[in-house]
Amino acid sequence: MDKIFLHGMKAETLIGLYDWERKQKQTLVLDLVIGVPEKSAADDNINDTVHYADVCEAVRSSLKNQQFLLLEALAEHVAGLILSDFGAVWVRVRIVKPGILPDVREVGVEIERSREI
């Protein structure tokens, strides 16, 4: 399987369990790895692959209008969006919530999902 990736993508959303977390949107850092059809490399046609700029725009736009309690739910939302809207066959979503705990550089979640064919 061929893969494209977006590492270090920043997006804002309302996320968290605690009242103090829900007062304003937080910036999250996403790493996305997206499985694409192997034919995308063979014919050099953008229509046969996943356009990563469109993925970035769609994820940011969707998260901007959503709110989540858990990073797990947010990751599931992003994975579903990529699989359903972009025809990806597989996706890995890693989301980091930086600076949320004292003396911890990163807290996050990582999931992998695939589309049923």
Side-chain angles (χ1 to χ4, degrees):
M1 173 184 344
D2 294 349
K3 300 172 187 172
I4 61 171
F5 63 86
L6 292 86
H7 288 172
M9 183 181 89
K10 293 183 179 178
E12 290 190 351
T13 196
L14 196 60
I15 179 80
L17 289 172
Y18 303 106
D19 290 339
W20 59 268
E21 289 182 291
R22 303 195 62 76
K23 291 186 183 208
Q24 65 182 22
K25 291 182 179 181
Q26 297 179 51
T27 301
L28 304 175
V29 181
L30 290 79
D31 291 338
L32 307 174
V33 181
I34 303 166
V36 298
E38 292 177 9
K39 72 176 189 170
S40 63
D43 64 9
D44 204 23
N45 185 342
I46 189 67
N47 295 319
D48 291 333
T49 190
V50 175
H51 194 302
Y52 48 81
D54 290 348
V55 170
C56 189
E57 182 180 327
V59 169
R60 283 183 176 145
S61 177
S62 180
L63 294 183
K64 187 177 183 180
N65 298 314
Q66 300 283 327
Q67 52 182 296
F68 302 90
L69 297 176
L70 301 176
L71 284 174
E72 291 86 344
L74 191 152
E76 193 70 41
H77 172 79
V78 170
L81 173 78
I82 293 168
L83 291 172
S84 67
D85 291 5
F86 292 95
V89 295
W90 172 88
V91 65
R92 177 184 302 134
V93 177
R94 180 178 186 269
I95 302 175
V96 172
K97 195 174 182 182
I100 199 69
L101 291 176
D103 300 321
V104 177
R105 184 173 52 109
E106 297 178 336
V107 172
V109 65
E110 180 175 292
I111 68 170
E112 293 183 21
R113 299 291 182 265
S114 57
R115 185 165 42 103
E116 299 203 16
I117 300 174

